[in-house]
Amino acid sequence: MMVNSFSQFESPVFLTIPLILLALILPWAFYPSPSPRWLSNRTLTLQNWFIGRFAKQLLASSTPKVHLWATLLVSLMLYIISLNLLGMLPYTFTPTTQLSMNMGLAVPLWLATVLVGFRNQPTLSLAHLLPEGTPTLLVPVLIIIETISLLIRPFALGVRLTANLTAGHLLIQLIATATLAFMSIMPAIATLTSILLLLLTLLEIAVAMIQAYVFVLLLSLYLQENS
Amino acid sequence: MAGHDHGSQHQFTGFAKYFNSYTIIGRRNYVLATYGSILALVLFFKLKPKKMPVTEK
């Protein structure tokens, strides 16, 4: 067993029980359950306000057919943002650094948007594969290029989320290790690296939220194209 | 997303009536023709009988 920089991304297993299941269920424990009362408490009101605000912002310029996906998209956004932010805590495991998990989210959702498009309006979905006004000679080339770009979308979605989270965590670990190493040898350099670490942590918190939003936004855009 | 192109300003005749990059139907037909051609090429090379090597007597 060799401990390297990527050891932090190994899926934790304790007595043959995969602990990733705990990590995946954990965000559910942090959200208050809906209340049957007419006026709910402040936490629930704040949560509902945020959910409503986000849903309106995401789906403002879309057709009513896309609004059917509001529950799925908003809950997906909350889930990914919770997993990412909980992963910023020390010694926690971030499930969204696992490519398998992100592909498990990206591929079925992308495929659903494509199948919805082909089922509801097959002519328009096929016509989208050729940009309007293409010169005749370029038609076959562009159709092939557009098909490849369509098929590459789920990989881009999954890999984007994985790479951003993994790179961020890796950078934090490297700079934190450097700060610790410099502390006894060169305290001045250690101060500089600790300031860098603080700025990087703030950046990673922003990236964690932005990447969750980008994932859901792109899915909603793919859906709008196909509805 | 831009609205659908109903192609009312384009008056195509002949081949261009069915295959053009301005109307929805024209674009769809181009896409289907391209996919059909690729499929035909693939099938052609897959089903092509392989030449047996000539053995010397």
Side-chain angles (χ1 to χ4, degrees), chain A residues 6-61:
Chain A
F6 288 94
S7 302
Q8 61 176 314
F9 303 117
E10 282 167 18
S11 193
V13 174
F14 180 69
L15 299 175
T16 70
I17 303 167
L19 295 178
I20 191 169
L21 293 168
L22 262 178
L24 290 172
I25 294 168
L26 192 63
W28 171 68
F30 286 98
Y31 287 99
S33 315
S35 166
R37 292 166 183 257
W38 182 44
L39 284 173
S40 34
N41 60 28
R42 273 171 280 203
T43 320
L44 199 54
T45 309
L46 190 64
Q47 178 189 275
N48 291 342
W49 170 83
F50 175 74
I51 288 172
R53 185 81 179 81
F54 174 73
K56 276 182 198 164
Q57 201 272 323
L58 186 70
L59 302 168
S61 56

Side-chain angles (χ1 to χ4, degrees), chain A residues 139-140 143, chain B residues 15 18-19 26-40:
Chain A
V139 162
I143 288 172
Chain B
F15 180 83
Y18 299 102
F19 291 92
R27 283 153 71 188
R28 181 203 69 181
N29 291 343
Y30 257 140
V31 170
L32 290 173
T34 306
Y35 284 166
S37 310
I38 293 169
L39 185 68

Side-chain angles (χ1 to χ4, degrees), chain A residues 123-124 126-134 136 139 143 147, chain B residues 1 4-5 21-22 24-25 27-28 30-32 34-35 38:
Chain A
T123 302
L124 204 61
L126 281 171
H128 275 318
L129 288 168
L130 177 63
E132 196 181 326
T134 309
T136 312
V139 162
I143 288 172
T147 308
Chain B
M1 204 66 193
H4 304 329
D5 175 22
S21 58
Y22 291 95
I24 298 291
I25 301 293
R27 283 153 71 188
R28 181 203 69 181
Y30 257 140
V31 170
L32 290 173
T34 306
Y35 284 166
I38 293 169

Side-chain angles (χ1 to χ4, degrees), chain B residues 7 9-23:
Chain B
Q9 68 271 41
H10 303 285
Q11 297 296 328
F12 295 112
T13 53
F15 180 83
K17 190 178 172 189
Y18 299 102
F19 291 92
N20 63 77
S21 58
Y22 291 95
T23 60

Side-chain angles (χ1 to χ4, degrees), chain A residues 73 79 124 147 168 176 199:
Chain A
L73 291 173
Y79 188 52
L124 204 61
T147 308
L199 293 172

